[in-house]
Amino acid sequence: MGLTATTMARHVEASRKLQKRAEQMIPGGVNSPVRAFRSVGGDPLFIVRGQGSHLWDADENRYIDYVGSWGPLILGHAPPGVPEAIGAAAKNGTSFGASTAAEADLAEIVISAFPHVEKIRFVNSGTEATMSAIRLARAYTQRKYIVKFEGCYHGHADALLVKAGSGVATLGIPGSAGVPEEFTQLTLALPFNDAGALELAFKKFSNQIACVIVEPVVGNMGCVPPAPLYLDALREITLRNNSLLIFDEVMTGFRLAFGGAQERYGILPDLTTFGKIIGGGLPVGAYGGPAHIMDMVAPLGPVYQAGTLSGNPLAMAAGLATLRYLRSHKSTIYTGLEMLSAQLTEGVTAAAKDAGVPLCCNRVGSMFTWYFTDGPVTNWTSAAKCDTEAFARFFRAMLDRGVYLPPSQFEAAFLSAAHTEKDVHHTIAAAKQTFATSHVAS
Ligand SMILES: *Cc1c(COP(=O)(O)O)cnc(C)c1O
């Protein structure tokens, strides 16, 4: 390769100053906790600009970005057509609290990609999507209990903040303060990749479980793929017990395939939740399913759910431009992402092996995590065995070499269609140097 990735004389003064100012007014200086770098140390970046696979911070450092706004940016930053679509929509007014044609346009694309979705409702975040889908599942089944899996994150609604991975796991908080026990008593948290545990729960709570909600490929304890036939087992068990299966595809939808994880693994859930990519970088979430379930939502049915800015014209425009681009390039984009992601993860994993650093890589398509453990990582218990201090050293060393990874061991990294072989070579070279010089595993 002959590539070098020397440590930059990286300035942080401007970001540090902005962080200090923000901290006086905003808790931790951030509007979402993992952004604060608490588990990796160092100065959180203040971003000035993003273009393609790159970010520039307030100190004019340039980074290859593997965070991608935590998932939405499958086409990279400011991809051709998306800023233009947002601008064109904005010129006609930013919000009406009444319907625009773009809502049905976006609905049509999502419905075409997800065969079990006949109707869809747009909301403003993934959190709202999962919260609403669970309300709907409870109303439809007239049952109270819900099942989630340890390490899966479904947003920050009270009932779902139980063993909830990523941000929560990073901070070591069991659930969250401010959530009364009574509010989570109806949430059963089971180990992921263990169909037997689900069978037992259905025996114990027979005819009482409204739904099982799962990240079909987990991204929020780092990337953890489903074991072979695990998703098939979830489908079979929920069907047999007249319980709904909810695939939370907020992260995986339009990422692992145009039709999400359910296309990739060939499983049809009852309800699907969306977010991230469908908003093209603007705040959007959605939930969808068969008409006979979705028609229980107000105004047709008794399940109340609403939103002042839901279906916002700018957000719909960004989502539409993104999904239309993906649809017309899907025969090349997903195979390209697969190949380049494999090249990247295999290169870094090999570099760790050469340097004697224990590293276990999980990857599905363009979602991946380098776990600092021998592995395998198949659920929350095995993910939690990671050497998070080693990860933190790796993270900081890579940042100094111009590579921006998610600032937590328990968050998936993403490749976008804007990443190039040059980016990948630079990243592998940076990892080699890091493993050789930084005593990551010491
Ligand atoms: C990001 C995420 C959410 C929450 O979405 P927000 O838009 O952050 O509220 C829910 N579920 C999964 C699987 C996610 O990755």
Side-chain angles (χ1 to χ4, degrees), residues 296-343:
M296 288 190 72
V297 176
L300 294 185
V303 178
Y304 192 71
Q305 182 271 307
T308 301
L309 292 173
S310 292
N312 175 268
L314 272 56
M316 296 294 107
L320 259 178
T322 300
L323 294 194
R324 279 180 178 152
Y325 187 93
L326 272 176
R327 184 174 57 186
S328 58
H329 295 80
K330 71 178 176 192
S331 60
T332 53
I333 281 186
Y334 292 100
T335 48
L337 283 172
E338 182 76 43
M339 281 165 55
L340 206 54
S341 304
Q343 198 181 331

mmCIF file of all heavy atoms in Angstrom, residues 296-343:
data_model
loop_
_atom_site.group_PDB
_atom_site.id
_atom_site.type_symbol
_atom_site.label_atom_id
_atom_site.label_comp_id
_atom_site.label_asym_id
_atom_site.label_seq_id
_atom_site.Cartn_x
_atom_site.Cartn_y
_atom_site.Cartn_z
ATOM 1 N N MET A 296 -55.949 0.976 13.176
ATOM 2 C CA MET A 296 -56.362 1.220 14.565
ATOM 3 C C MET A 296 -55.845 2.567 15.073
ATOM 4 O O MET A 296 -56.202 3.010 16.166
ATOM 5 C CB MET A 296 -55.837 0.110 15.474
ATOM 6 C CG MET A 296 -56.571 -1.211 15.277
ATOM 7 S SD MET A 296 -56.130 -2.387 16.556
ATOM 8 C CE MET A 296 -56.975 -1.683 17.976
ATOM 9 N N VAL A 297 -54.955 3.211 14.286
ATOM 10 C CA VAL A 297 -54.375 4.492 14.706
ATOM 11 C C VAL A 297 -55.355 5.634 14.394
ATOM 12 O O VAL A 297 -56.021 5.614 13.354
ATOM 13 C CB VAL A 297 -53.028 4.719 13.990
ATOM 14 C CG1 VAL A 297 -52.443 6.076 14.323
ATOM 15 C CG2 VAL A 297 -52.032 3.609 14.354
ATOM 16 N N ALA A 298 -55.424 6.623 15.291
ATOM 17 C CA ALA A 298 -56.291 7.794 15.094
ATOM 18 C C ALA A 298 -55.890 8.514 13.807
ATOM 19 O O ALA A 298 -54.699 8.575 13.501
ATOM 20 C CB ALA A 298 -56.160 8.736 16.287
ATOM 21 N N PRO A 299 -56.802 9.030 12.998
ATOM 22 C CA PRO A 299 -58.234 9.232 13.309
ATOM 23 C C PRO A 299 -59.128 8.042 12.975
ATOM 24 O O PRO A 299 -60.320 8.107 13.260
ATOM 25 C CB PRO A 299 -58.593 10.412 12.405
ATOM 26 C CG PRO A 299 -57.744 10.197 11.183
ATOM 27 C CD PRO A 299 -56.445 9.630 11.699
ATOM 28 N N LEU A 300 -58.570 6.946 12.359
ATOM 29 C CA LEU A 300 -59.447 5.827 12.011
ATOM 30 C C LEU A 300 -59.795 4.986 13.222
ATOM 31 O O LEU A 300 -60.864 4.388 13.287
ATOM 32 C CB LEU A 300 -58.788 4.933 10.946
ATOM 33 C CG LEU A 300 -58.567 5.552 9.565
ATOM 34 C CD1 LEU A 300 -58.022 4.515 8.592
ATOM 35 C CD2 LEU A 300 -59.873 6.138 9.029
ATOM 36 N N GLY A 301 -58.866 4.898 14.162
ATOM 37 C CA GLY A 301 -59.071 3.996 15.289
ATOM 38 C C GLY A 301 -58.775 4.655 16.620
ATOM 39 O O GLY A 301 -58.501 5.864 16.686
ATOM 40 N N PRO A 302 -58.799 3.856 17.694
ATOM 41 C CA PRO A 302 -58.720 4.390 19.064
ATOM 42 C C PRO A 302 -57.306 4.619 19.593
ATOM 43 O O PRO A 302 -57.159 5.073 20.724
ATOM 44 C CB PRO A 302 -59.408 3.291 19.878
ATOM 45 C CG PRO A 302 -59.112 2.028 19.126
ATOM 46 C CD PRO A 302 -59.061 2.398 17.680
ATOM 47 N N VAL A 303 -56.253 4.288 18.808
ATOM 48 C CA VAL A 303 -54.882 4.459 19.308
ATOM 49 C C VAL A 303 -54.426 5.880 18.991
ATOM 50 O O VAL A 303 -54.225 6.230 17.824
ATOM 51 C CB VAL A 303 -53.920 3.446 18.660
ATOM 52 C CG1 VAL A 303 -52.497 3.662 19.157
ATOM 53 C CG2 VAL A 303 -54.377 2.021 18.951
ATOM 54 N N TYR A 304 -54.244 6.695 20.032
ATOM 55 C CA TYR A 304 -53.897 8.093 19.782
ATOM 56 C C TYR A 304 -52.400 8.274 19.570
ATOM 57 O O TYR A 304 -51.574 7.755 20.306
ATOM 58 C CB TYR A 304 -54.360 8.996 20.932
ATOM 59 C CG TYR A 304 -54.260 10.441 20.501
ATOM 60 C CD1 TYR A 304 -55.153 10.949 19.560
ATOM 61 C CD2 TYR A 304 -53.230 11.258 20.955
ATOM 62 C CE1 TYR A 304 -55.031 12.255 19.099
ATOM 63 C CE2 TYR A 304 -53.106 12.571 20.494
ATOM 64 C CZ TYR A 304 -54.019 13.053 19.568
ATOM 65 O OH TYR A 304 -53.885 14.338 19.103
ATOM 66 N N GLN A 305 -52.077 9.044 18.544
ATOM 67 C CA GLN A 305 -50.670 9.363 18.243
ATOM 68 C C GLN A 305 -50.697 10.533 17.283
ATOM 69 O O GLN A 305 -51.458 10.529 16.315
ATOM 70 C CB GLN A 305 -49.980 8.143 17.630
ATOM 71 C CG GLN A 305 -48.496 8.335 17.310
ATOM 72 C CD GLN A 305 -48.294 8.887 15.918
ATOM 73 O OE1 GLN A 305 -48.805 8.329 14.948
ATOM 74 N NE2 GLN A 305 -47.572 9.989 15.820
ATOM 75 N N ALA A 306 -49.895 11.577 17.585
ATOM 76 C CA ALA A 306 -49.959 12.815 16.809
ATOM 77 C C ALA A 306 -48.606 13.511 16.781
ATOM 78 O O ALA A 306 -47.686 13.102 17.488
ATOM 79 C CB ALA A 306 -50.999 13.743 17.430
ATOM 80 N N GLY A 307 -48.463 14.571 15.980
ATOM 81 C CA GLY A 307 -47.203 15.319 15.947
ATOM 82 C C GLY A 307 -47.323 16.625 15.187
ATOM 83 O O GLY A 307 -47.692 16.616 14.009
ATOM 84 N N THR A 308 -47.005 17.725 15.850
ATOM 85 C CA THR A 308 -47.091 19.047 15.222
ATOM 86 C C THR A 308 -46.284 19.108 13.926
ATOM 87 O O THR A 308 -46.741 19.632 12.915
ATOM 88 C CB THR A 308 -46.553 20.130 16.186
ATOM 89 O OG1 THR A 308 -47.336 20.068 17.373
ATOM 90 C CG2 THR A 308 -46.643 21.525 15.589
ATOM 91 N N LEU A 309 -45.051 18.560 13.975
ATOM 92 C CA LEU A 309 -44.169 18.663 12.811
ATOM 93 C C LEU A 309 -44.058 17.352 12.033
ATOM 94 O O LEU A 309 -43.207 17.218 11.146
ATOM 95 C CB LEU A 309 -42.793 19.144 13.255
ATOM 96 C CG LEU A 309 -42.753 20.590 13.758
ATOM 97 C CD1 LEU A 309 -41.394 20.932 14.337
ATOM 98 C CD2 LEU A 309 -43.100 21.581 12.658
ATOM 99 N N SER A 310 -44.909 16.356 12.364
ATOM 100 C CA SER A 310 -44.823 15.059 11.675
ATOM 101 C C SER A 310 -45.090 15.218 10.184
ATOM 102 O O SER A 310 -46.016 15.928 9.788
ATOM 103 C CB SER A 310 -45.827 14.079 12.270
ATOM 104 O OG SER A 310 -45.458 13.754 13.580
ATOM 105 N N GLY A 311 -44.273 14.555 9.361
ATOM 106 C CA GLY A 311 -44.414 14.658 7.911
ATOM 107 C C GLY A 311 -43.927 16.005 7.390
ATOM 108 O O GLY A 311 -44.287 16.423 6.289
ATOM 109 N N ASN A 312 -43.070 16.640 8.172
ATOM 110 C CA ASN A 312 -42.545 17.971 7.805
ATOM 111 C C ASN A 312 -42.002 18.005 6.368
ATOM 112 O O ASN A 312 -41.258 17.111 5.959
ATOM 113 C CB ASN A 312 -41.440 18.359 8.791
ATOM 114 C CG ASN A 312 -40.768 19.639 8.408
ATOM 115 O OD1 ASN A 312 -39.760 19.632 7.710
ATOM 116 N ND2 ASN A 312 -41.343 20.741 8.813
ATOM 117 N N PRO A 313 -42.373 19.029 5.595
ATOM 118 C CA PRO A 313 -41.997 19.066 4.169
ATOM 119 C C PRO A 313 -40.491 19.016 3.904
ATOM 120 O O PRO A 313 -40.050 18.386 2.925
ATOM 121 C CB PRO A 313 -42.570 20.397 3.665
ATOM 122 C CG PRO A 313 -43.471 20.912 4.720
ATOM 123 C CD PRO A 313 -43.230 20.150 5.984
ATOM 124 N N LEU A 314 -39.677 19.649 4.757
ATOM 125 C CA LEU A 314 -38.223 19.599 4.542
ATOM 126 C C LEU A 314 -37.689 18.192 4.801
ATOM 127 O O LEU A 314 -36.853 17.672 4.053
ATOM 128 C CB LEU A 314 -37.509 20.592 5.482
ATOM 129 C CG LEU A 314 -37.344 22.017 4.961
ATOM 130 C CD1 LEU A 314 -38.678 22.622 4.568
ATOM 131 C CD2 LEU A 314 -36.653 22.877 5.989
ATOM 132 N N ALA A 315 -38.197 17.590 5.870
ATOM 133 C CA ALA A 315 -37.757 16.245 6.224
ATOM 134 C C ALA A 315 -38.190 15.239 5.153
ATOM 135 O O ALA A 315 -37.424 14.348 4.777
ATOM 136 C CB ALA A 315 -38.311 15.859 7.589
ATOM 137 N N MET A 316 -39.410 15.392 4.656
ATOM 138 C CA MET A 316 -39.887 14.499 3.599
ATOM 139 C C MET A 316 -39.037 14.665 2.333
ATOM 140 O O MET A 316 -38.692 13.697 1.659
ATOM 141 C CB MET A 316 -41.361 14.798 3.268
ATOM 142 C CG MET A 316 -42.350 14.542 4.403
ATOM 143 S SD MET A 316 -42.534 12.800 4.887
ATOM 144 C CE MET A 316 -41.676 12.792 6.457
ATOM 145 N N ALA A 317 -38.673 15.901 2.022
ATOM 146 C CA ALA A 317 -37.868 16.169 0.824
ATOM 147 C C ALA A 317 -36.494 15.522 0.932
ATOM 148 O O ALA A 317 -35.997 14.908 -0.031
ATOM 149 C CB ALA A 317 -37.731 17.681 0.607
ATOM 150 N N ALA A 318 -35.886 15.616 2.121
ATOM 151 C CA ALA A 318 -34.561 15.014 2.320
ATOM 152 C C ALA A 318 -34.658 13.493 2.228
ATOM 153 O O ALA A 318 -33.809 12.837 1.603
ATOM 154 C CB ALA A 318 -33.988 15.427 3.674
ATOM 155 N N GLY A 319 -35.691 12.935 2.843
ATOM 156 C CA GLY A 319 -35.884 11.482 2.805
ATOM 157 C C GLY A 319 -36.143 10.998 1.391
ATOM 158 O O GLY A 319 -35.560 10.003 0.941
ATOM 159 N N LEU A 320 -36.990 11.711 0.685
ATOM 160 C CA LEU A 320 -37.323 11.331 -0.697
ATOM 161 C C LEU A 320 -36.097 11.356 -1.599
ATOM 162 O O LEU A 320 -35.855 10.420 -2.365
ATOM 163 C CB LEU A 320 -38.348 12.321 -1.264
ATOM 164 C CG LEU A 320 -39.809 11.904 -1.318
ATOM 165 C CD1 LEU A 320 -40.635 13.057 -1.864
ATOM 166 C CD2 LEU A 320 -39.994 10.650 -2.163
ATOM 167 N N ALA A 321 -35.318 12.446 -1.502
ATOM 168 C CA ALA A 321 -34.132 12.561 -2.361
ATOM 169 C C ALA A 321 -33.169 11.415 -2.063
ATOM 170 O O ALA A 321 -32.574 10.826 -2.977
ATOM 171 C CB ALA A 321 -33.450 13.910 -2.137
ATOM 172 N N THR A 322 -33.028 11.069 -0.776
ATOM 173 C CA THR A 322 -32.115 9.989 -0.381
ATOM 174 C C THR A 322 -32.620 8.634 -0.876
ATOM 175 O O THR A 322 -31.871 7.865 -1.495
ATOM 176 C CB THR A 322 -31.960 9.969 1.158
ATOM 177 O OG1 THR A 322 -31.432 11.229 1.565
ATOM 178 C CG2 THR A 322 -31.026 8.862 1.608
ATOM 179 N N LEU A 323 -33.891 8.331 -0.620
ATOM 180 C CA LEU A 323 -34.413 7.010 -0.997
ATOM 181 C C LEU A 323 -34.505 6.860 -2.520
ATOM 182 O O LEU A 323 -34.274 5.775 -3.053
ATOM 183 C CB LEU A 323 -35.772 6.750 -0.345
ATOM 184 C CG LEU A 323 -35.778 6.636 1.189
ATOM 185 C CD1 LEU A 323 -37.099 6.032 1.678
ATOM 186 C CD2 LEU A 323 -34.611 5.816 1.720
ATOM 187 N N ARG A 324 -34.821 7.940 -3.219
ATOM 188 C CA ARG A 324 -34.873 7.851 -4.688
ATOM 189 C C ARG A 324 -33.491 7.560 -5.249
ATOM 190 O O ARG A 324 -33.332 6.753 -6.163
ATOM 191 C CB ARG A 324 -35.423 9.154 -5.281
ATOM 192 C CG ARG A 324 -36.936 9.204 -5.226
ATOM 193 C CD ARG A 324 -37.466 10.508 -5.822
ATOM 194 N NE ARG A 324 -38.918 10.511 -5.799
ATOM 195 C CZ ARG A 324 -39.678 11.607 -5.737
ATOM 196 N NH1 ARG A 324 -39.107 12.803 -5.709
ATOM 197 N NH2 ARG A 324 -40.989 11.517 -5.712
ATOM 198 N N TYR A 325 -32.479 8.215 -4.694
ATOM 199 C CA TYR A 325 -31.110 7.968 -5.153
ATOM 200 C C TYR A 325 -30.720 6.521 -4.864
ATOM 201 O O TYR A 325 -30.175 5.819 -5.732
ATOM 202 C CB TYR A 325 -30.128 8.939 -4.473
ATOM 203 C CG TYR A 325 -28.732 8.842 -5.042
ATOM 204 C CD1 TYR A 325 -28.322 9.675 -6.074
ATOM 205 C CD2 TYR A 325 -27.834 7.884 -4.560
ATOM 206 C CE1 TYR A 325 -27.051 9.571 -6.622
ATOM 207 C CE2 TYR A 325 -26.565 7.765 -5.100
ATOM 208 C CZ TYR A 325 -26.172 8.614 -6.130
ATOM 209 O OH TYR A 325 -24.916 8.503 -6.658
ATOM 210 N N LEU A 326 -31.020 6.073 -3.648
ATOM 211 C CA LEU A 326 -30.692 4.687 -3.267
ATOM 212 C C LEU A 326 -31.390 3.691 -4.184
ATOM 213 O O LEU A 326 -30.802 2.707 -4.618
ATOM 214 C CB LEU A 326 -31.149 4.419 -1.829
ATOM 215 C CG LEU A 326 -30.191 4.750 -0.689
ATOM 216 C CD1 LEU A 326 -30.890 4.491 0.645
ATOM 217 C CD2 LEU A 326 -28.915 3.921 -0.781
ATOM 218 N N ARG A 327 -32.675 3.968 -4.474
ATOM 219 C CA ARG A 327 -33.450 3.036 -5.291
ATOM 220 C C ARG A 327 -32.866 2.937 -6.698
ATOM 221 O O ARG A 327 -32.703 1.862 -7.245
ATOM 222 C CB ARG A 327 -34.910 3.475 -5.362
ATOM 223 C CG ARG A 327 -35.808 2.492 -6.114
ATOM 224 C CD ARG A 327 -37.262 2.879 -6.035
ATOM 225 N NE ARG A 327 -37.475 4.231 -6.561
ATOM 226 C CZ ARG A 327 -38.646 4.876 -6.518
ATOM 227 N NH1 ARG A 327 -39.691 4.289 -5.967
ATOM 228 N NH2 ARG A 327 -38.755 6.086 -7.013
ATOM 229 N N SER A 328 -32.487 4.082 -7.262
ATOM 230 C CA SER A 328 -32.007 4.023 -8.641
ATOM 231 C C SER A 328 -30.567 3.517 -8.739
ATOM 232 O O SER A 328 -30.111 3.192 -9.821
ATOM 233 C CB SER A 328 -32.183 5.375 -9.337
ATOM 234 O OG SER A 328 -31.495 6.365 -8.623
ATOM 235 N N HIS A 329 -29.852 3.457 -7.604
ATOM 236 C CA HIS A 329 -28.470 2.941 -7.642
ATOM 237 C C HIS A 329 -28.305 1.685 -6.795
ATOM 238 O O HIS A 329 -27.193 1.290 -6.470
ATOM 239 C CB HIS A 329 -27.489 3.999 -7.128
ATOM 240 C CG HIS A 329 -27.415 5.224 -7.992
ATOM 241 N ND1 HIS A 329 -28.361 6.225 -7.938
ATOM 242 C CD2 HIS A 329 -26.528 5.602 -8.931
ATOM 243 C CE1 HIS A 329 -28.046 7.169 -8.814
ATOM 244 N NE2 HIS A 329 -26.948 6.816 -9.432
ATOM 245 N N LYS A 330 -29.427 1.055 -6.431
ATOM 246 C CA LYS A 330 -29.291 0.002 -5.413
ATOM 247 C C LYS A 330 -28.507 -1.217 -5.903
ATOM 248 O O LYS A 330 -27.884 -1.909 -5.100
ATOM 249 C CB LYS A 330 -30.651 -0.398 -4.834
ATOM 250 C CG LYS A 330 -31.558 -1.171 -5.748
ATOM 251 C CD LYS A 330 -32.849 -1.520 -4.993
ATOM 252 C CE LYS A 330 -33.803 -2.213 -5.944
ATOM 253 N NZ LYS A 330 -35.142 -2.339 -5.412
ATOM 254 N N SER A 331 -28.508 -1.461 -7.226
ATOM 255 C CA SER A 331 -27.779 -2.636 -7.710
ATOM 256 C C SER A 331 -26.276 -2.460 -7.520
ATOM 257 O O SER A 331 -25.541 -3.438 -7.440
ATOM 258 C CB SER A 331 -28.113 -2.894 -9.178
ATOM 259 O OG SER A 331 -27.756 -1.771 -9.943
ATOM 260 N N THR A 332 -25.796 -1.236 -7.448
ATOM 261 C CA THR A 332 -24.353 -1.034 -7.243
ATOM 262 C C THR A 332 -24.021 -0.610 -5.811
ATOM 263 O O THR A 332 -22.982 -0.995 -5.274
ATOM 264 C CB THR A 332 -23.803 0.036 -8.204
ATOM 265 O OG1 THR A 332 -24.593 1.225 -8.070
ATOM 266 C CG2 THR A 332 -23.839 -0.443 -9.645
ATOM 267 N N ILE A 333 -24.898 0.189 -5.182
ATOM 268 C CA ILE A 333 -24.552 0.742 -3.863
ATOM 269 C C ILE A 333 -24.352 -0.354 -2.816
ATOM 270 O O ILE A 333 -23.339 -0.373 -2.106
ATOM 271 C CB ILE A 333 -25.615 1.757 -3.396
ATOM 272 C CG1 ILE A 333 -25.381 3.093 -4.113
ATOM 273 C CG2 ILE A 333 -25.558 1.960 -1.876
ATOM 274 C CD1 ILE A 333 -26.260 4.229 -3.654
ATOM 275 N N TYR A 334 -25.295 -1.294 -2.728
ATOM 276 C CA TYR A 334 -25.193 -2.266 -1.632
ATOM 277 C C TYR A 334 -24.051 -3.259 -1.834
ATOM 278 O O TYR A 334 -23.399 -3.645 -0.866
ATOM 279 C CB TYR A 334 -26.537 -2.959 -1.401
ATOM 280 C CG TYR A 334 -27.568 -1.982 -0.854
ATOM 281 C CD1 TYR A 334 -28.525 -1.401 -1.677
ATOM 282 C CD2 TYR A 334 -27.532 -1.589 0.482
ATOM 283 C CE1 TYR A 334 -29.438 -0.472 -1.188
ATOM 284 C CE2 TYR A 334 -28.436 -0.658 0.985
ATOM 285 C CZ TYR A 334 -29.397 -0.105 0.142
ATOM 286 O OH TYR A 334 -30.281 0.821 0.637
ATOM 287 N N THR A 335 -23.774 -3.638 -3.094
ATOM 288 C CA THR A 335 -22.626 -4.533 -3.310
ATOM 289 C C THR A 335 -21.322 -3.762 -3.079
ATOM 290 O O THR A 335 -20.363 -4.310 -2.531
ATOM 291 C CB THR A 335 -22.616 -5.135 -4.729
ATOM 292 O OG1 THR A 335 -22.822 -4.090 -5.668
ATOM 293 C CG2 THR A 335 -23.705 -6.183 -4.896
ATOM 294 N N GLY A 336 -21.294 -2.496 -3.465
ATOM 295 C CA GLY A 336 -20.107 -1.664 -3.228
ATOM 296 C C GLY A 336 -19.837 -1.512 -1.740
ATOM 297 O O GLY A 336 -18.694 -1.644 -1.290
ATOM 298 N N LEU A 337 -20.900 -1.237 -0.967
ATOM 299 C CA LEU A 337 -20.747 -1.081 0.487
ATOM 300 C C LEU A 337 -20.234 -2.375 1.106
ATOM 301 O O LEU A 337 -19.368 -2.368 1.982
ATOM 302 C CB LEU A 337 -22.091 -0.704 1.124
ATOM 303 C CG LEU A 337 -22.547 0.745 0.960
ATOM 304 C CD1 LEU A 337 -23.975 0.921 1.464
ATOM 305 C CD2 LEU A 337 -21.609 1.699 1.696
ATOM 306 N N GLU A 338 -20.785 -3.488 0.633
ATOM 307 C CA GLU A 338 -20.394 -4.801 1.159
ATOM 308 C C GLU A 338 -18.894 -5.033 0.937
ATOM 309 O O GLU A 338 -18.161 -5.383 1.870
ATOM 310 C CB GLU A 338 -21.223 -5.880 0.435
ATOM 311 C CG GLU A 338 -20.979 -7.300 0.890
ATOM 312 C CD GLU A 338 -21.642 -7.599 2.228
ATOM 313 O OE1 GLU A 338 -22.811 -7.192 2.428
ATOM 314 O OE2 GLU A 338 -20.989 -8.231 3.079
ATOM 315 N N MET A 339 -18.431 -4.798 -0.294
ATOM 316 C CA MET A 339 -17.037 -5.093 -0.620
ATOM 317 C C MET A 339 -16.066 -4.182 0.117
ATOM 318 O O MET A 339 -15.069 -4.638 0.673
ATOM 319 C CB MET A 339 -16.825 -4.972 -2.136
ATOM 320 C CG MET A 339 -17.331 -6.204 -2.892
ATOM 321 S SD MET A 339 -17.480 -5.918 -4.659
ATOM 322 C CE MET A 339 -15.821 -5.358 -5.040
ATOM 323 N N LEU A 340 -16.384 -2.889 0.129
ATOM 324 C CA LEU A 340 -15.464 -1.939 0.755
ATOM 325 C C LEU A 340 -15.451 -2.117 2.281
ATOM 326 O O LEU A 340 -14.398 -2.010 2.922
ATOM 327 C CB LEU A 340 -15.871 -0.510 0.374
ATOM 328 C CG LEU A 340 -14.765 0.536 0.378
ATOM 329 C CD1 LEU A 340 -13.585 0.117 -0.489
ATOM 330 C CD2 LEU A 340 -15.307 1.893 -0.093
ATOM 331 N N SER A 341 -16.618 -2.423 2.854
ATOM 332 C CA SER A 341 -16.691 -2.654 4.310
ATOM 333 C C SER A 341 -15.889 -3.895 4.685
ATOM 334 O O SER A 341 -15.212 -3.914 5.717
ATOM 335 C CB SER A 341 -18.142 -2.825 4.762
ATOM 336 O OG SER A 341 -18.917 -1.714 4.394
ATOM 337 N N ALA A 342 -15.983 -4.934 3.840
ATOM 338 C CA ALA A 342 -15.224 -6.167 4.110
ATOM 339 C C ALA A 342 -13.730 -5.869 4.061
ATOM 340 O O ALA A 342 -12.966 -6.287 4.932
ATOM 341 C CB ALA A 342 -15.595 -7.244 3.096
ATOM 342 N N GLN A 343 -13.327 -5.116 3.036
ATOM 343 C CA GLN A 343 -11.915 -4.762 2.886
ATOM 344 C C GLN A 343 -11.405 -4.014 4.122
ATOM 345 O O GLN A 343 -10.341 -4.315 4.655
ATOM 346 C CB GLN A 343 -11.786 -3.880 1.640
ATOM 347 C CG GLN A 343 -10.388 -3.771 1.086
ATOM 348 C CD GLN A 343 -10.364 -2.846 -0.135
ATOM 349 O OE1 GLN A 343 -11.351 -2.724 -0.867
ATOM 350 N NE2 GLN A 343 -9.258 -2.177 -0.346
#
